[in-house]
Amino acid sequence: MLNRCDQVASWQKLNELKVTKSSLDLTNAFLNQANRFEHFSVDAPHVFVDLSKCMWDEEVENALLELANETQVFSLRDALFKGESINTTEGRSVMHWLLRTPKGTQIPAGLGSAHAEVLTTLDAFLSFAEKVRSNDSITDVVNIGIGGSDLGPQMAIRALAEYVTPTKSFHFISNIDAHEIAGVLDKLDPNKTLFLISSKSFTTIETMTNAQTAKQWFINGGGKNIDQHFVGLTSNVLLAKEFGIVTTFGFWDWVGGRYSMWSSIGLAIAIAIGAKAFKEFLQGAFEMDEHFKSAEPKDNLPLKLGLLDVWYRNFLNYKSRNIAPYHSALYRLPAYLQQLDMESNGKSVDKSAQGLSYGTASVLWGEPGTNGQHAFFQMLHQGTDVIPIEFIAVKTPSHAHTNHHELLLANALAQAQAFMVGDANENKARYFAGNRPSMFTILERLTPTSLGALIALSEHRTFVAGAVWGINSFDQYGVELGKTLTLNIMKQFTNSEFTNLDPSTQGLLRRLR
Ligand code: F6P
């Protein structure tokens, strides 16, 4: 039986601390603790994070580490890495980490055959990726998928632009809105296009509708050898075959959609950057897995970030987190993290189906700096809500414009500084209260390895917060109701009488149909 977080002693302690710490002043905290930067910085594999401008101190940190103890985060982490059935509502284990565990690694008892299957599938889809890469007659690769079957591959391919083969263009179709598919297909030649139909379930209505439209477009446009132009990435190989797909690469029910880009769902990434770089991407994530498994709690970055999220959400009442990547290639990272965190931890019952008396996932959003600075940063600096900002900077760029890069980094540093120090201007319009928290992440370079590490860090951070909250981070029933109601409304587009529709929906449907 898990200890409910709001019932344990450290939660009460944190409740007391929230009163005394509400007057915590970050600038003074640095004056009072000469080594605050060193103390609150963590060097994890390929990722350095400075947490010294976060709204906490050692007393809070210690209480949070105690909270992790009391809520059995460590035993849940061990259960995750043993392949136990920790996705309780669906009765599944959660083993996306196994997808990036290299050959030759000691595997927990009972998982050897799963790992062998992972490695065989990996070899198969990587060798397919290499074949596509060397096939000059394929000029365009189109990934059709949504949610986890879109956001991961799309985010990674954009982030790793420097590594992407220039011989092919990569397109992503996720939305049921046909403006998207029409806009992509209009420019393509069926006989030069490879479609990757990415769907764990192979039933998602957006993906299936787009896949059918693509198939029809292929046939109508004189496409030959459909079997060579459509590939299925799915754990439902049977449905993919029914669709008419011959080449499929599978994965397993223990891989959640939003955790799936390490599996065959990552085929688009592998085609884009090649098998070697894809393995580096897995390696970066694996190193972060190892760090999460074995680093001391005080040095354990995913643990500290997840605990900080709990402190912010439940004690300081921050309801939102801003992601500010200072690297334009990371422009899809906020969207990717939204699904990862909000679909995982946007829950209001615990694992025993009891309602919660405390908040869970916060609202996550963001845009690359410096664009955000000239849009919503005004609100972050002088608005009435305190929203912690997460700066992500990359030391070495992949271009030669040193002056641009120094200006970019100077902007990130200056913003983080401004949030903390503020400006006690006598003109109230120009007054900045300051004392606004931020964290600062640094990657040496944006490479497949560092991206893999950064993403695995985010996965485990989400895991930690969910573990403290006692929720199941691995189901997503919250997206089901809308799907069912869509089908009901679809049937009524031509009805004169409506059933099961509220007056507002009826009024809107009358206008829209
Ligand atoms: O609607 C939510 C969801 O199930 C996500 O969790 C998932 O990533 C997405 O839909 C796509 O699902 P599938 O890969 O099965 O098409």
Side-chain angles (χ1 to χ4, degrees), residues 174-195:
S174 55
N175 205 316
I176 192 74
D177 179 353
H179 291 105
E180 200 170 81
I181 192 163
V184 171
L185 297 185
D186 271 0
K187 301 183 198 81
L188 303 185
D189 173 342
N191 288 308
K192 294 183 174 170
T193 303
L194 177 69
F195 288 98

Side-chain angles (χ1 to χ4, degrees), residues 197-227:
I197 312 301
S198 302
S199 175
K200 180 180 174 187
S201 58
F202 228 79
T203 57
T204 304
I205 197 149
E206 289 88 345
T207 303
M208 291 306 109
T209 309
N210 280 322
Q212 288 294 354
T213 302
K215 189 173 165 185
Q216 212 45 59
W217 168 87
F218 183 86
I219 295 165
N220 296 348
K224 307 228 166 23
N225 304 324
I226 197 162
D227 54 314

Side-chain angles (χ1 to χ4, degrees), residues 314-354:
N314 301 122
F315 299 95
L316 300 189
N317 204 24
Y318 302 154
K319 294 192 173 124
S320 175
R321 279 165 51 194
N322 178 266
I323 311 294
Y326 276 67
H327 193 306
S328 59
L330 289 173
Y331 73 99
R332 291 300 286 163
L333 183 67
Y336 173 81
L337 294 177
Q338 275 173 343
Q339 188 199 13
L340 175 61
D341 205 76
M342 293 161 81
E343 199 174 73
S344 296
N345 285 345
K347 311 284 165 66
S348 37
V349 292
D350 67 14
K351 282 186 167 178
S352 329
Q354 300 301 309

Side-chain angles (χ1 to χ4, degrees), residues 36-344:
R36 185 174 165 91
F37 176 78
E38 289 73 20
H39 178 89
F40 283 107
S41 297
V42 186
D43 245 319
H46 310 286
V47 185
F48 166 87
V49 183
D50 168 29
L51 300 170
S52 63
K53 290 207 264 325
C54 294
M55 196 58 78
W56 64 349
D57 62 10
E58 277 186 64
E59 222 182 333
V60 173
E61 183 190 16
N62 290 334
L64 287 169
L65 290 171
E66 183 50 23
L67 180 66
N69 247 329
E70 289 190 302
T71 52
Q72 292 147 280
V73 171
F74 303 106
S75 46
L76 194 68
R77 174 195 62 185
D78 296 344
L80 166 82
F81 286 108
K82 275 190 211 145
E84 288 174 19
S85 232
I86 63 165
N87 175 353
T88 43
T89 49
E90 296 177 317
R92 292 175 184 166
S93 49
V94 175
M95 299 204 293
H96 45 275
W97 54 269
L98 192 65
L99 301 166
R100 54 222 188 191
T101 304
K103 202 176 182 163
T105 312
Q106 180 94 33
I107 298 296
L111 300 185
S113 60
H115 191 225
E117 268 187 62
V118 164
L119 294 174
T120 310
T121 309
L122 177 65
D123 279 348
F125 80 77
L126 290 186
S127 92
F128 181 81
E130 285 301 323
K131 271 191 212 127
V132 176
R133 279 168 71 80
S134 55
N135 180 352
D136 293 338
S137 68
I138 296 294
T139 55
D140 293 87
V141 178
V142 181
N143 188 83
I144 297 185
I146 196 164
S149 301
D150 163 69
L151 287 164
Q154 189 178 163
M155 177 277 294
I157 289 178
R158 302 311 182 215
L160 299 173
E162 185 191 354
Y163 297 82
V164 172
T165 173
T167 61
K168 302 190 196 309
S169 298
F170 292 83
H171 312 270
F172 291 86
I173 296 171
S174 55
N175 205 316
I176 192 74
D177 179 353
H179 291 105
E180 200 170 81
I181 192 163
V184 171
L185 297 185
D186 271 0
K187 301 183 198 81
L188 303 185
D189 173 342
N191 288 308
K192 294 183 174 170
T193 303
L194 177 69
F195 288 98
L196 310 179
I197 312 301
S198 302
S199 175
K200 180 180 174 187
S201 58
F202 228 79
T203 57
T204 304
I205 197 149
E206 289 88 345
T207 303
M208 291 306 109
T209 309
N210 280 322
Q212 288 294 354
T213 302
K215 189 173 165 185
Q216 212 45 59
W217 168 87
F218 183 86
I219 295 165
N220 296 348
K224 307 228 166 23
N225 304 324
I226 197 162
D227 54 314
Q228 288 169 30
H229 289 268
F230 282 77
V231 171
L233 313 173
T234 183
S235 53
N236 197 341
V237 169
L238 224 60
L239 281 187
K241 299 262 181 214
E242 268 174 36
F243 178 92
I245 287 178
V246 176
T247 308
T248 57
F249 297 100
F251 60 105
W252 305 270
D253 69 356
W254 43 259
V255 184
R258 54 195 171 275
Y259 301 89
S260 65
M261 72 169 145
W262 322 99
S263 72
S264 60
I265 290 290
L267 180 61
I269 309 174
I271 297 172
I273 65 175
K276 183 174 167 288
F278 191 83
K279 282 192 173 167
E280 289 164 9
F281 177 58
L282 298 184
Q283 175 66 22
F286 171 70
E287 288 176 42
M288 191 57 77
D289 294 340
E290 293 295 291
H291 167 83
F292 181 43
K293 269 197 265 185
S294 59
E296 284 301 313
K298 269 189 176 298
D299 306 318
N300 196 311
L301 188 54
L303 178 73
K304 290 183 95 167
L305 293 180
L307 292 174
L308 189 63
D309 288 341
V310 172
W311 168 243
Y312 277 2
R313 180 71 178 93
N314 301 122
F315 299 95
L316 300 189
N317 204 24
Y318 302 154
K319 294 192 173 124
S320 175
R321 279 165 51 194
N322 178 266
I323 311 294
Y326 276 67
H327 193 306
S328 59
L330 289 173
Y331 73 99
R332 291 300 286 163
L333 183 67
Y336 173 81
L337 294 177
Q338 275 173 343
Q339 188 199 13
L340 175 61
D341 205 76
M342 293 161 81
E343 199 174 73
S344 296

